[in-house]
Short mmCIF file of all heavy atoms in Angstrom, two decimals:
data_model
loop_
_atom_site.label_atom_id
_atom_site.label_comp_id
_atom_site.label_asym_id
_atom_site.label_seq_id
_atom_site.Cartn_x
_atom_site.Cartn_y
_atom_site.Cartn_z
N ALA A 156 -17.96 -5.51 -1.09
CA ALA A 156 -18.08 -4.11 -1.46
C ALA A 156 -19.55 -3.72 -1.65
O ALA A 156 -19.90 -2.54 -1.62
CB ALA A 156 -17.30 -3.83 -2.74
N GLY A 157 -20.40 -4.73 -1.83
CA GLY A 157 -21.83 -4.49 -2.02
C GLY A 157 -22.47 -5.60 -2.81
O GLY A 157 -21.78 -6.41 -3.45
N ALA A 158 -23.78 -5.68 -2.74
CA ALA A 158 -24.50 -6.67 -3.55
C ALA A 158 -24.32 -6.35 -5.03
O ALA A 158 -24.09 -5.20 -5.43
CB ALA A 158 -25.98 -6.64 -3.17
N TYR A 159 -24.40 -7.39 -5.87
CA TYR A 159 -24.20 -7.21 -7.31
C TYR A 159 -25.29 -6.29 -7.87
O TYR A 159 -26.49 -6.55 -7.69
CB TYR A 159 -24.22 -8.56 -8.01
CG TYR A 159 -23.93 -8.45 -9.49
CD1 TYR A 159 -22.75 -7.89 -9.95
CD2 TYR A 159 -24.86 -8.92 -10.43
CE1 TYR A 159 -22.48 -7.80 -11.30
CE2 TYR A 159 -24.59 -8.83 -11.79
CZ TYR A 159 -23.40 -8.26 -12.22
OH TYR A 159 -23.15 -8.16 -13.56
N PRO A 160 -24.92 -5.20 -8.58
CA PRO A 160 -25.90 -4.23 -9.06
C PRO A 160 -26.37 -4.45 -10.50
O PRO A 160 -26.98 -3.58 -11.10
CB PRO A 160 -25.12 -2.91 -8.97
CG PRO A 160 -23.71 -3.32 -9.31
CD PRO A 160 -23.53 -4.71 -8.76
N GLY A 161 -26.08 -5.62 -11.06
CA GLY A 161 -26.40 -5.86 -12.47
C GLY A 161 -27.88 -5.99 -12.74
O GLY A 161 -28.71 -6.23 -11.85
N LEU A 162 -28.23 -5.86 -14.02
CA LEU A 162 -29.63 -5.93 -14.46
C LEU A 162 -30.26 -7.28 -14.10
O LEU A 162 -31.40 -7.33 -13.62
CB LEU A 162 -29.71 -5.71 -15.97
CG LEU A 162 -31.11 -5.81 -16.60
CD1 LEU A 162 -32.05 -4.76 -16.02
CD2 LEU A 162 -31.02 -5.66 -18.12
N GLU A 163 -29.49 -8.37 -14.28
CA GLU A 163 -30.04 -9.70 -14.00
C GLU A 163 -30.40 -9.84 -12.52
O GLU A 163 -31.41 -10.46 -12.17
CB GLU A 163 -29.03 -10.78 -14.37
CG GLU A 163 -28.47 -10.67 -15.78
CD GLU A 163 -27.24 -9.76 -15.84
OE1 GLU A 163 -26.76 -9.32 -14.78
OE2 GLU A 163 -26.78 -9.47 -16.96
N ALA A 164 -29.57 -9.26 -11.66
CA ALA A 164 -29.83 -9.33 -10.22
C ALA A 164 -31.12 -8.58 -9.88
O ALA A 164 -31.93 -9.06 -9.07
CB ALA A 164 -28.66 -8.75 -9.44
N GLU A 165 -31.29 -7.42 -10.49
CA GLU A 165 -32.51 -6.65 -10.23
C GLU A 165 -33.74 -7.38 -10.77
O GLU A 165 -34.81 -7.37 -10.16
CB GLU A 165 -32.40 -5.25 -10.87
CG GLU A 165 -31.28 -4.39 -10.30
CD GLU A 165 -31.41 -4.11 -8.82
OE1 GLU A 165 -32.56 -4.16 -8.30
OE2 GLU A 165 -30.39 -3.86 -8.17
N GLU A 166 -33.59 -8.01 -11.91
CA GLU A 166 -34.71 -8.76 -12.48
C GLU A 166 -35.14 -9.92 -11.59
O GLU A 166 -36.31 -10.28 -11.54
CB GLU A 166 -34.34 -9.28 -13.88
CG GLU A 166 -34.24 -8.19 -14.93
CD GLU A 166 -33.73 -8.72 -16.26
OE1 GLU A 166 -33.11 -9.82 -16.29
OE2 GLU A 166 -33.94 -8.05 -17.28
N ARG A 167 -34.18 -10.49 -10.86
CA ARG A 167 -34.50 -11.62 -9.99
C ARG A 167 -34.82 -11.18 -8.56
O ARG A 167 -34.95 -12.01 -7.68
CB ARG A 167 -33.34 -12.63 -9.98
CG ARG A 167 -33.11 -13.30 -11.33
CD ARG A 167 -32.25 -14.54 -11.21
NE ARG A 167 -30.92 -14.28 -10.71
CZ ARG A 167 -29.88 -13.90 -11.46
NH1 ARG A 167 -30.04 -13.74 -12.77
NH2 ARG A 167 -28.70 -13.70 -10.93
N GLY A 168 -34.93 -9.88 -8.34
CA GLY A 168 -35.41 -9.40 -7.04
C GLY A 168 -34.35 -9.15 -6.01
O GLY A 168 -34.49 -9.57 -4.85
N GLN A 169 -33.29 -8.46 -6.38
CA GLN A 169 -32.19 -8.19 -5.44
C GLN A 169 -32.67 -7.45 -4.20
O GLN A 169 -32.39 -7.85 -3.06
CB GLN A 169 -31.09 -7.37 -6.14
CG GLN A 169 -29.86 -7.10 -5.31
CD GLN A 169 -28.97 -8.31 -5.14
OE1 GLN A 169 -29.32 -9.24 -4.41
NE2 GLN A 169 -27.84 -8.32 -5.82
N GLY A 170 -33.41 -6.38 -4.41
CA GLY A 170 -33.89 -5.58 -3.28
C GLY A 170 -34.78 -6.37 -2.34
O GLY A 170 -34.66 -6.29 -1.12
#
Side-chain angles (χ1 to χ4, degrees):
Y159 184 58
L162 177 61
E163 309 87 7
E165 297 299 336
E166 289 174 340
R167 295 196 298 275
Q169 184 74 287

